[in-house]
Amino acid sequence: MAAKIIDGAKVAQDIRAEVARGIKELQDRKNVTPGLVVVLVGDDPASATYVRSKGRACQEVGAFTETIKLPKETPEAELLSIIERLNHDPRFHGILVQLPLPKQISERKVTLALSPEKDVDGLHPMSMGHLMEGEPSFVPCTPGGIQQLLIRYGYDPAGKHVVVCGRSNIVGKPIANLLMQKRAGANATVTVCHTGTKDLASFTRQADIIIAAAGSPRAIKADMVKPGVVIIDVGINRVDDPTDKRGYRIVGDVDYEPVAAKAEAITPVPGGVGPMTIAMLLSNTLRAAKRSVGEA
Ligand code: GUN
């Protein structure tokens, strides 16, 4: 039987509508409009596209938003002083500094400079620590989106063996921490595989749920998964494709068609995890605004 398609675009739309209702309700009750400032350094076209989408999404749900664009030569000290100013700007409940940053700027220093109260990306060590404790303040957007996809499609991770492929700070580490917590929508047995893993297939074959976030095009093949597996593909990889008018095509970390033929459910690329990230950013921004008035 063909796999069920986990439609991230549809779930993201539902979450955006929920956030829009939440914003309206907060405005009516507390006269507070959630605000997000997005900082983009440099002119990477993919980052510029993401940032535009984030700004547009904020406007659609009724959040206040501003984008600060800085040249790629911006010194680290200047970015840090802008963040310091934004930390104290009451119009903004959330600050997002788009990654990656130019090489003269330390991503770690920038993340540490953010006020944890405004860390809607969930990447500050304080947010990471809270997540690890099981008392999350802000869950990073992509892991939060993955968890929502699983819950809303009825694939409760509780008691399941989840195999995460990839150990990045932005996806692999936080999703592993999120799904191992003794909480609703989690409580899974989690294995994390990475570039140091010997015999990856021996782990992925045991998985009830695979979260592929290794950044390696079509690396998860059909003979590496068991029948009935649920697949969450976080990969966004450009591969050459002369038949496409752009000359390239976007593929995930999973060899989609043959794996889909064995899976119970699978996220497409694009249209799976991708749209969820912005939806969760909006949700975190609403949460930050609620926290600023002592709620959430
Ligand atoms: N670049 C790619 N994904 C992300 C993200 O989730 N947050 C930030 N800040 N930058 C990114």
Side-chain angles (χ1 to χ4, degrees):
M1 217 182 76
K4 178 179 272 190
I5 307 299
I6 299 177
D7 184 349
K10 162 80 175 61
V11 178
Q13 206 47 52
D14 294 347
I15 292 174
R16 285 181 188 215
E18 290 162 22
V19 171
R21 283 196 293 277
I23 289 177
K24 176 82 175 52
E25 193 265 342
L26 190 66
Q27 285 169 328
D28 291 347
R29 201 162 44 78
K30 293 281 183 183
N31 200 23
V32 170
T33 298
L36 173 73
V37 59
V38 180
V39 182
L40 173 65
V41 188
D43 45 21
D44 176 65
S47 290
T49 305
Y50 287 135
V51 164
R52 264 195 308 277
S53 308
K54 287 168 185 174
R56 212 178 309 123
C58 280
Q59 284 165 356
E60 277 171 25
V61 296
F64 172 65
T65 185
E66 217 171 86
T67 299
I68 298 178
K69 288 187 189 151
L70 301 169
K72 66 173 183 301
E73 314 74 39
T74 302
E76 183 181 84
E78 187 179 331
L79 179 59
L80 293 175
S81 86
I82 290 170
I83 292 173
E84 186 53 24
R85 174 167 61 75
L86 296 172
N87 281 342
H88 294 99
D89 187 331
R91 296 174 302 159
F92 301 120
H93 304 91
I95 303 172
L96 182 139
V97 180
Q98 184 67 24
L99 304 176
L101 288 165
K103 58 184 180 319
Q104 76 277 15
I105 302 178
S106 154
E107 287 186 3
R108 184 169 158 72
K109 272 197 200 161
V110 167
T111 309
L112 276 167
L114 292 170
S115 162
E117 296 305 314
K118 297 192 177 187
D119 177 34
V120 287
D121 239 352
L123 300 177
H124 190 287
M126 187 88 95
S127 306
M128 291 282 197
H130 288 158
L131 178 65
M132 200 165 180
E133 281 180 316
E135 297 295 337
S137 44
F138 298 106
V139 173
C141 300
T142 303
I146 293 169
Q147 187 185 37
Q148 286 301 314
L149 286 178
L150 291 171
I151 294 170
R152 290 173 188 239
Y153 269 85
Y155 302 115
D156 185 347
K160 297 290 178 353
H161 185 191
V162 176
V163 174
V164 178
C165 302
R167 58 177 154 188
S168 65
N169 286 336
I170 205 162
V171 183
K173 285 179 198 165
I175 191 67
N177 273 287
L178 189 59
L179 295 184
M180 75 166 74
Q181 299 299 331
K182 195 170 181 177
R183 289 172 75 100
N187 219 12
T189 303
V190 180
T191 300
V192 181
C193 298
H194 45 71
T195 48
T197 300
K198 293 204 170 76
D199 195 4
L200 174 64
S202 70
F203 294 95
T204 53
R205 278 190 204 113
Q206 295 177 46
D208 302 310
I209 299 171
I210 294 176
I211 298 177
S216 188
R218 297 197 195 99
I220 306 294
K221 306 288 187 197
D223 64 355
M224 296 169 67
V225 307
K226 73 176 179 190
V229 66
V230 172
I231 303 272
I232 305 289
D233 190 349
V234 189
I236 303 177
N237 308 290
R238 261 189 196 202
V239 294
D240 291 341
D241 182 355
T243 70
D244 191 294
K245 58 181 180 305
R246 297 168 301 181
Y248 69 86
R249 185 154 72 89
I250 301 294
V251 300
D253 285 3
V254 175
D255 194 15
Y256 185 84
E257 286 82 7
V259 172
K262 278 179 92 174
E264 156 74 23
I266 188 165
T267 58
V269 176
V273 175
M276 292 297 292
T277 301
I278 294 182
M280 299 315 289
L281 175 67
L282 300 172
S283 171
N284 278 349
T285 302
L286 172 58
R287 183 169 162 84
K290 285 187 171 174
R291 286 165 67 96
S292 78
V293 292
E295 299 177 3

